[in-house]
Amino acid sequence: MITLGIDKIKTNMQILGTNSIEQAIYAYYNYCDCNNYSNLKCPCCGSKSLTFHKKYQRNLTYYNNSEIINITIDIAVCKCNHCSKIPGRQKYHAILPEFILPYAIYEASTIMNALNDYYNKVKLNQILDRLKIQHKLFYDWIKKFNIYSLSASVILKINNDLKQIINNIVKENSIFLMNFYNDYHHPYFLFKTTCVPLCIIP
């Protein structure tokens, strides 16, 4: 999976939309429609030889103006032509805009803001009611956040303190997510809670 920085591709674009997520999706679609993947590196071999392969649909839920919004978004998948020169080694990479975390239906800032509230002593039931989610899903987010705490602290250049880490992630938002991808070559929250990510030192 490849994390795509939306702020870079929004440059000099006239974007219509009522909120930042709609604007980001518009920019993402515009980028994908232009098939402009030549500046993206394959996370496996590092070459800039990606070409469009297909699209797939995924659900996305985000919180906006006290409302839960559910949409479907088309995600582009690219093939690495360099990796694919070796028989049986075809590599395909989903191109995820930075506001989408791997395997997460909820949008990145929605998850991070909920975790920030939790570590700043907002009552858990208030968070669950606001997002209309179950305890299990929220505890999965906490487990994943804990797994990634050390690598996140390295990116943020702060002590491995959970409250401070999540506060800084919320402040930096897309900058943090892109810095994480650029240093570790995989998206934030990629690994499942049963895995220990091999990303302690960038």
Side-chain angles (χ1 to χ4, degrees):
M1 293 183 188
I2 295 173
T3 298
L4 179 66
I6 294 299
D7 284 343
K8 288 184 179 179
I9 65 177
K10 282 202 287 190
T11 308
N12 298 325
M13 287 180 59
Q14 290 244 332
I15 300 175
L16 302 176
T18 57
N19 63 60
S20 59
I21 295 296
E22 288 181 0
Q23 292 174 5
I25 291 171
Y26 178 89
Y28 174 72
Y29 282 166
N30 186 72
Y31 179 89
C32 293
D33 288 344
C34 294
N35 289 322
N36 184 25
Y37 305 109
S38 60
N39 62 331
L40 299 179
K41 290 182 180 180
C42 171
C44 297
C45 70
S47 69
K48 292 184 177 181
S49 60
L50 299 178
T51 53
F52 176 78
H53 174 63
K54 67 174 185 176
K55 289 183 179 180
Y56 71 92
Q57 289 191 326
R58 77 175 331 271
N59 296 322
L60 182 67
T61 299
Y62 62 95
Y63 188 75
N64 183 56
N65 293 328
S66 302
E67 184 180 1
I68 296 292
I69 299 172
N70 301 295
I71 61 173
T72 301
I73 182 170
D74 293 325
I75 299 296
V77 177
C78 284
K79 177 182 179 181
C80 176
N81 295 309
H82 182 265
C83 287
S84 298
K85 288 178 182 176
I86 302 171
R89 198 184 159 195
Q90 285 80 12
K91 295 291 182 182
Y92 300 93
H93 306 289
I95 312 298
L96 296 180
E98 94 259 333
F99 57 89
I100 293 182
L101 299 177
Y103 311 113
I105 292 177
Y106 279 77
E107 177 265 338
S109 66
T110 301
I111 294 173
M112 297 307 146
N113 281 313
L115 288 169
N116 194 40
D117 286 345
Y118 176 77
Y119 284 102
N120 282 283
K121 307 301 183 185
V122 174
K123 289 182 179 178
L124 179 57
N125 284 338
Q126 285 183 298
I127 300 170
L128 300 178
D129 289 344
R130 184 179 75 223
L131 297 181
K132 298 177 173 55
I133 61 174
Q134 300 295 318
H135 284 79
K136 183 184 183 307
L137 177 58
F138 191 76
Y139 287 134
D140 283 345
W141 294 348
I142 292 172
K143 286 179 191 174
K144 226 170 198 185
F145 177 65
N146 282 316
I147 287 172
Y148 275 85
S149 63
L150 182 55
S151 51
S153 70
V154 173
I155 297 292
L156 295 165
K157 298 180 174 61
I158 59 175
N159 293 328
N160 190 21
D161 173 79
L162 297 180
K163 183 177 178 180
Q164 191 178 4
I165 289 169
I166 192 61
N167 279 331
N168 279 267
I169 289 175
V170 168
K171 283 177 189 173
E172 294 190 11
N173 197 10
S174 61
I175 296 171
F176 165 78
L177 295 172
M178 284 312 305
N179 285 341
F180 188 96
Y181 177 78
N182 291 334
D183 282 1
Y184 293 120
H185 309 296
H186 67 76
Y188 188 62
F189 268 32
L190 172 63
F191 294 93
K192 297 180 180 179
T193 55
T194 54
C195 302
V196 177
L198 303 175
C199 59
I200 300 305
I201 300 174

